[in-house]
Amino acid sequence: MTESKRKVTHGGFHRRAFLKGSGAVAAATALQTEVASAVQQTTQVAKGRMTIDLEVNGKRQTLEVETRDTLLDVLRYQLDLTGAKPVSLDGSSGASTVLLDGKPIMASTALAVACDGKRVTTVEGLDDTVPAAFVAADAQQCGFCTPGFVVAVKAFLDKNPNASETAIREGLNGNICRCGTYSHVIQAAVSLVKGGSNG
Ligand code: FES
C-alpha cells in the first residue's frame, strides 16, 4: 500500500481529512488577514479635536469639538443653548429634538462632526407661535419634555399644516412626557391647525 492510499487514523480521525481541514483553516486565516488589512486601509477613524461650522438659529458658529461630542453636547456646553435636554442619550424620549436643515433629529444621537456645514434650529430659535399655544393649552407640568415637544410640533405642522388630530397624535409619537401632559400637547397642536398658523 502506497503512502497516499494508507489510512492513518487516530481516534477515528483521518490524517488526510485533517490535512485537508488544516488547509481550509489556513485559507480562512489568510482570508481573514486579507479582510482585516483591507478594513484597516479603508477605515479612517477621526481622532482628537476638529473644527466645524454650524449655522445655529441663524448665526454662523465655528466650533472646536471632540470627535465624540454629540450635537447636544455642543449646543448645551459650548453655546449655552439648554432647551434641548439630555433625558435619553439614545434619543428615545425625544427631549433633545432640534431641526437639522429643517428636519427633526435627536441632538443626543447626532455627532457634532457629522453636522458640519449644516443649519441647526433649537427651541430658542423658534418664534413664539408654538410656545404660546403650549402656554394657552397648559401643555406642560415639569416642562422637561416641553422644548422637544415644541420643536417636534413645529416640524410636524410645517410639513403637515392641515393635519388631523389623529395624524398629529401619530406624528408626535416619538416624544415622551413622563408627567402625562399628552392631551394638552395635542390640544396645543390642534389649536395651531385651527388657528391657521403654525409659525
Ligand atoms: S411635563 Fe414633565 S415630562 Fe413632560
Side-chain angles (χ1 to χ4, degrees):
M1 185 181 290
T2 63
E3 176 65 25
S4 64
K5 288 181 181 168
R6 189 181 299 135
K7 288 180 180 173
V8 180
T9 62
H10 296 283
F13 193 81
H14 285 250
R15 181 170 173 267
R16 183 184 296 271
F18 171 74
L19 290 173
K20 268 186 168 175
S22 302
V25 170
T29 307
L31 182 63
Q32 278 174 356
T33 309
E34 213 172 292
V35 169
S37 137
V39 167
Q40 220 168 16
Q41 281 169 19
T42 55
T43 306
Q44 292 183 351
V45 178
K47 293 178 184 167
R49 297 182 75 78
M50 288 178 70
T51 302
I52 62 168
D53 284 313
L54 296 176
E55 185 190 309
V56 182
N57 298 336
K59 192 172 168 194
R60 204 82 212 161
Q61 301 279 2
T62 299
L63 301 155
E64 275 253 317
V65 300
E66 296 261 354
T67 51
R68 64 186 172 176
D69 285 341
T70 64
L71 178 59
L72 185 63
D73 293 328
V74 171
L75 292 173
R76 291 181 64 83
Y77 307 123
Q78 287 207 43
L79 299 177
D80 207 20
L81 294 168
T82 55
K85 298 284 187 285
V87 172
S88 56
L89 296 184
D90 65 354
S92 57
S93 68
S96 70
T97 308
V98 298
L99 304 180
L100 189 69
D101 285 346
K103 292 185 183 152
I105 62 150
M106 301 305 139
S108 63
T109 61
L111 283 174
V113 291
C115 302
D116 187 22
K118 297 189 191 268
R119 186 167 40 92
V120 180
T121 307
T122 69
V123 70
E124 292 90 344
L126 301 183
D127 69 21
D128 286 343
T129 310
V130 180
F134 270 62
V135 171
D138 194 17
Q140 62 278 312
Q141 286 188 46
C142 77
F144 225 70
C145 69
T146 311
F149 261 113
V150 167
V151 177
V153 166
K154 163 75 178 160
F156 182 76
L157 292 183
D158 274 353
K159 203 170 170 199
N160 308 278
N162 301 309
S164 65
E165 182 174 331
T166 305
I168 289 171
R169 285 179 185 276
E170 284 170 11
L172 298 181
N173 69 6
N175 291 66
I176 290 172
C177 173
R178 292 182 200 187
C179 300
T181 59
Y182 297 108
S183 60
H184 289 234
V185 169
I186 302 300
Q187 202 181 309
V190 169
S191 76
L192 289 167
V193 174
K194 283 183 179 161
S197 161
N198 56 50

